[in-house]
Amino acid sequence: MASIKNLQMADTVLSNPNVEYRKGFMGLGSKAIYRPTGSPIAAQVLDYTADMGRKLLDVMACQPQELDKKLDSATSIAPTQIGNNHLELCLSRDHQFAALQLFTFADLVFKPLSEVKIYTGHAAQLIAKLF
């Protein structure tokens, strides 16, 4: 489990009006909450092969209303232990909020392959099925 504050997409996710970032008692611990449902948001970092990264990028490029069709026709997108594509994922526990950004390893650093994509409602539930 990664900390949302340590993600490269942290500023974009935490500036979303539907996300609230709460600090714990005396500054110890913190958590992000999806405001409409009050569900906690967890962050993950997953690695993918180049082929799986292209498939994931293809899913992220489609419009939210096209996700049903795209995910039905898409083959499984499985993470790997070590890959040259790196996904930052924020997902609420109730699967009503998801934020994704894909990176590729080049010049000894991870560089963005996509913009931060934020999904809510039914689209977020569909995206959550991938993970």
Side-chain angles (χ1 to χ4, degrees):
M1 212 45 93
S3 171
I4 290 178
K5 282 287 204 174
N6 294 337
L7 300 178
Q8 290 185 38
M9 67 175 184
D11 291 339
T12 304
V13 173
L14 295 176
S15 67
N16 186 299
N18 289 325
V19 174
E20 178 182 346
Y21 189 73
R22 297 179 186 166
K23 292 191 177 186
F25 179 69
M26 295 180 62
L28 300 173
S30 57
K31 62 183 175 178
I33 303 291
Y34 180 55
R35 281 186 181 160
T37 63
S39 181
I41 298 171
Q44 289 182 307
V45 177
L46 303 169
D47 284 335
Y48 292 91
T49 62
D51 184 46
M52 292 295 144
R54 281 190 294 278
K55 290 179 183 180
L56 189 56
L57 197 57
D58 188 40
V59 169
M60 291 171 65
C62 74
Q63 296 298 319
Q65 58 272 22
E66 299 169 354
L67 279 174
D68 279 323
K69 295 177 194 170
K70 182 59 95 177
L71 293 177
D72 285 342
S73 65
T75 58
S76 66
I77 301 173
T80 186
Q81 288 290 339
I82 298 173
N84 61 335
N85 285 325
H86 169 91
L87 178 77
E88 292 184 351
L89 165 70
C90 292
L91 185 63
S92 67
R93 189 175 296 151
D94 64 0
H95 297 166
Q96 294 296 306
F97 175 86
L100 311 166
Q101 187 171 19
L102 190 64
F103 298 85
T104 190
F105 192 75
D107 300 326
L108 302 176
V109 294
F110 281 104
K111 295 182 177 182
L113 272 178
S114 70
E115 297 292 322
V116 177
K117 293 287 286 194
I118 295 178
Y119 301 92
T120 58
H122 182 65
Q125 289 175 340
L126 293 172
I127 290 293
K129 290 180 183 178
L130 293 172
F131 311 103

